Amino acid sequence: LPSLLQQVKPDFIFFQAGVDVLATDKLGRLKVSLAGCKERDRLVLEREDKSNPNWTSDPNDLAYVIFTSGSTGRPKAILGRLKGIDHFMRWEIEAVGAGPGTRVSQLASPSFDGFLKDAFVPLCSGGTVCPPESRDVVLDAGRLADWLDIEEIEVLHCVPSVFRALLNEQIDGRYFAGDG
């Protein structure tokens, strides 16, 4: 997301996504002008009550926004529905056998849709999201193999080029020994 925000101003992102509600902390640390939005189109909620609001959701409700680079080079908002992400998360959790304690790598940038499974598979199954300490780890197959072993990663999501680099790395019997 930081690289995307360097290219595009946050008010453009919120305008493109059609944001109606923006939740911030009490200090309002996230400030956006929402330039181009009519005042009547914006809803500002002030809520002092910290109890769980009576909120229901529908499978067709929007759940997330991902921005593509767009064929014009200008980011375009892609809106994901709750039923789609819910269906995918349930399938992926079952497919990889994720559950409490499962350690899942988080290698994708938050601006890439692959981030959704990196984050939500462990969070929805009681597992742990495991990001490496720096991007440099992902760019060096040897360091990545060491990190995967040391962190005892059980589920790895990565692009084919990263997987290919791991396959080409000289991995000996000391790696990934685990308990069984």
Side-chain angles (χ1 to χ4, degrees):
L1 190 59
S3 63
L4 177 65
L5 290 178
Q6 289 172 355
Q7 299 170 10
V8 181
K9 296 194 181 291
D11 50 345
F12 171 82
I13 292 172
F14 288 104
F15 180 73
Q16 282 291 313
V19 171
D20 291 323
V21 177
L22 178 62
T24 68
D25 64 11
K26 190 172 183 176
L27 300 176
R29 289 180 227 198
L30 180 57
K31 300 264 187 210
V32 255
S33 66
L34 295 176
C37 294
K38 297 177 185 148
E39 191 62 40
R40 65 178 172 76
D41 293 336
R42 293 181 6 209
L43 173 64
V44 177
L45 298 176
E46 292 185 16
R47 185 170 161 84
E48 291 296 321
D49 181 3
K50 303 295 185 230
S51 65
N52 191 11
N54 185 14
W55 183 274
T56 58
S57 63
D58 181 90
N60 286 314
D61 285 348
L62 295 176
Y64 62 92
V65 179
I66 294 287
F67 281 82
T68 69
S69 60
S71 58
T72 64
R74 188 174 175 121
K76 176 183 174 188
I78 304 297
L79 308 175
R81 305 238 175 249
L82 185 58
K83 67 180 173 185
I85 192 71
D86 177 63
H87 175 77
F88 182 78
M89 287 305 110
R90 290 175 192 271
W91 172 83
E92 176 102 2
I93 288 167
E94 185 177 330
V96 301
T102 300
R103 298 181 60 76
V104 179
S105 67
Q106 193 279 294
L107 305 181
S109 164
S111 62
F112 176 59
D113 66 349
F115 173 81
L116 296 172
K117 60 183 160 193
D118 289 354
F120 289 118
V121 164
L123 293 176
C124 292
S125 66
T128 303
V129 179
C130 302
E133 62 272 9
S134 78
R135 185 79 183 138
D136 294 337
V137 171
V138 180
L139 300 175
D140 180 321
R143 286 181 66 190
L144 180 58
D146 287 340
W147 178 79
L148 291 168
D149 188 44
I150 291 166
E151 292 297 321
E152 299 178 353
I153 301 299
E154 298 167 90
V155 178
L156 169 67
H157 292 130
C158 63
V159 295
S161 59
V162 170
F163 190 67
R164 191 173 309 108
L166 278 172
L167 290 177
N168 291 332
E169 187 63 25
Q170 296 297 319
I171 297 175
D172 58 38
R174 69 182 169 92
Y175 282 99
F176 316 117
D179 294 331

